[in-house]
Amino acid sequence: MENKKFQGIIPPEKWIKDCSTPLIIAGPCSAETEEQVMQTAHQLKNTGVVQIFRAGIWKPRTQPNTFEGVGSVGLEWLQRVKRETGMSVATEVGSAKHVFEAIKYGVDLLWIGARTTSNPFAIQEIADALQGADIPVLVKNPLSPDLDLWIGAIERLHAVGLRKLGAIHRGFFSWEKTDLRNQPCWHIPLSMMRQFPDLPIICDPSHIAGKRELVPEIAQRAYDLRMHGLMVETHINPDNAWSDARQQLTPANFSEMIQSLVGTDSDEPYNHNLNDLRTEIDEIDEQLLGMVARRMRTVEKIAHLKEEEKLNVIQPKRWQDVLVNVKTKAESRGLRPTFAEGLFNAIHEESVLLQSNIIRSNQP
């Protein structure tokens, strides 16, 4: 059921001159030097697909004494980008001071980063500073997978009169290490899209992927799910970037990726409920595989300990205790105990095989 919380949201087509969907925003993670900004901007302009050039001026970093952005001087470089390329420009803001500086220098679009979204006090300060302003603002999801916190941040901006609003999906932090930098948890932005169909949501595949070779796959997934655009980090020399070097594309690689993306027919009926649930299943399957892989890594350590202690690979008493515990917990969760027993027996068989191979390979 459609939520009426955000009334009067203005679509991206009416935000800025030449703006349309899919909304394509690209540029370096950080503005480092004027030369780097201008070269990147001109190369992106030549792709013919970038509507808004992005560059971080102030960088919220985890560790002190690291590069935290060039500051307001970088806003002068963005002014030059506008003059020479005609592209609109965007930057991240994390405080009222950033808002005032960015607007003073004619920045066309602002975005709020994940760390800032996670702090309602910071969001309210920014909202108060933006009261009466006519500028598009995009809000990245918070670090944690908290949909209410994300919605609440946008709600604070809407409450002060902003109507050119949107969201950026950049993935969520997880202690579990995978190939991705941040977990997509696609069901969360999809829930946002379902609740607020008029609120544009674009994807930041760079921060989800964390590795440039994975960015196209995430971007295609965002297109498949009918998100409203992309924000992609690009740099003329990514390997030497001052921040997030690993996930940035060259303008040429970026252009190739955009050309390779396959869109969907917007007129084709889209069953949000079915597709959302299938996406959630895919994510759960990925998590299951990750947990099984983690279990097998622990099994490897057990194999080495058993070898040192001259213990048998199979410990019948231990395994029977595991099965009893598994079947009891399965039943309490609405699963058939026999199903859980079969599943864990299959995992145990693979564990025994792995341990046996490790011990055998170390024998003279």
Side-chain angles (χ1 to χ4, degrees):
M1 182 176 180
E2 182 177 341
N3 194 310
K4 301 296 184 181
K5 183 173 289 186
F6 299 133
Q7 294 289 330
I9 292 293
I10 298 173
E13 293 83 358
K14 297 181 180 180
W15 285 359
I16 302 170
K17 180 184 176 183
D18 298 328
C19 225
S20 61
T21 51
L23 181 63
I24 305 298
I25 303 173
C29 172
S30 302
E32 301 162 359
T33 67
E34 187 170 9
E35 179 183 18
Q36 167 248 1
V37 167
M38 296 310 302
Q39 286 186 13
T40 305
H42 280 290
Q43 290 185 31
L44 287 174
K45 174 65 176 179
N46 290 338
T47 67
V49 298
V50 178
Q51 300 164 39
I52 301 174
F53 178 82
R54 57 144 289 156
I57 303 299
W58 304 279
K59 301 300 297 180
R61 305 304 296 276
T62 302
Q63 299 293 330
N65 303 316
T66 56
F67 176 63
E68 296 184 322
V70 297
S72 296
V73 65
L75 295 172
E76 297 177 5
W77 307 342
L78 293 184
Q79 285 183 322
R80 184 180 168 196
V81 168
K82 290 180 67 173
R83 290 196 305 269
E84 293 189 13
T85 69
M87 288 189 294
S88 299
V89 296
T91 198
E92 177 180 348
V93 294
S95 69
K97 179 182 177 182
H98 294 167
V99 170
F100 297 139
E101 285 289 290
I103 291 177
K104 181 174 72 174
Y105 281 88
V107 171
D108 300 292
L109 179 145
L110 306 176
W111 81 83
I112 297 172
R115 288 180 174 87
T116 308
T117 303
S118 301
N119 184 344
F121 293 115
I123 288 290
Q124 190 59 56
E125 176 188 325
I126 292 171
D128 292 340
L130 284 166
Q131 189 162 13
D134 182 24
I135 187 170
V137 181
L138 299 175
V139 181
K140 287 195 174 186
N141 61 256
L143 295 173
S144 59
D146 188 336
L147 180 58
D148 289 337
L149 188 59
W150 194 6
I151 293 172
I154 300 171
E155 190 173 2
R156 290 176 186 274
L157 297 167
H158 187 269
V160 299
L162 292 177
R163 294 297 180 266
K164 297 176 181 178
L165 290 172
I168 303 175
H169 173 48
R170 50 85 72 196
F172 302 90
F173 173 80
S174 172
W175 290 108
E176 182 68 25
K177 299 304 178 185
T178 69
D179 290 337
L180 301 176
R181 177 178 176 180
N182 290 294
Q183 297 310 299
C185 300
W186 294 107
H187 64 282
I188 294 179
L190 287 174
S191 180
M192 175 90 87
M193 293 169 68
R194 189 168 56 250
Q195 290 185 55
F196 310 106
D198 294 332
L199 183 73
I201 302 180
I202 70 171
C203 181
D204 172 356
S206 304
H207 277 89
I208 294 176
K211 302 173 185 175
R212 63 179 64 96
E213 61 270 20
L214 300 179
V215 171
E217 177 185 344
I218 301 299
Q220 182 60 63
R221 185 63 169 152
Y223 266 45
D224 293 342
L225 296 174
R226 302 197 180 194
M227 290 192 171
H228 300 86
L230 301 171
M231 175 184 276
V232 183
E233 291 189 342
T234 54
H235 193 290
I236 53 168
N237 188 5
D239 289 334
N240 292 315
W242 296 1
S243 60
D244 287 348
R246 189 69 182 83
Q247 66 193 38
Q248 299 194 64
L249 304 177
T250 64
N253 292 150
F254 165 79
S255 180
E256 291 174 6
M257 180 191 76
I258 293 296
Q259 293 175 25
S260 71
L261 295 177
V262 178
T264 57
D265 184 357
S266 60
D267 294 327
E268 181 184 345
Y270 187 72
N271 188 328
H272 278 287
N273 290 331
L274 179 60
N275 285 282
D276 291 0
L277 290 172
R278 284 173 173 169
T279 296
E280 190 169 352
I281 287 290
D282 291 343
E283 289 186 347
I284 293 170
D285 289 346
E286 181 70 23
Q287 292 168 10
L288 283 173
L289 288 172
M291 294 302 293
V292 171
R294 180 182 171 188
R295 191 184 195 280
M296 292 303 171
R297 289 193 294 270
T298 303
V299 166
E300 291 178 8
K301 298 176 183 177
I302 290 174
H304 292 299
L305 288 175
K306 285 182 178 179
E307 183 180 21
E308 291 175 7
E309 300 293 331
K310 307 299 183 184
L311 297 175
N312 291 329
V313 168
I314 298 178
Q315 301 284 314
K317 176 65 168 60
R318 160 65 180 166
W319 182 239
Q320 287 305 312
D321 290 342
V322 169
L323 283 181
V324 169
N325 185 47
V326 163
K327 289 192 288 184
T328 300
K329 289 185 175 179
E331 189 169 19
S332 71
R333 289 169 168 79
L335 299 173
R336 289 186 299 111
T338 52
F339 163 73
E341 182 178 18
L343 176 63
F344 274 78
N345 273 327
I347 294 173
H348 184 241
E349 289 176 12
E350 186 66 20
S351 299
V352 169
L353 179 62
L354 176 59
Q355 291 180 65
S356 299
N357 288 339
I358 290 174
I359 294 174
R360 190 180 302 114
S361 66
N362 291 333
Q363 291 177 346

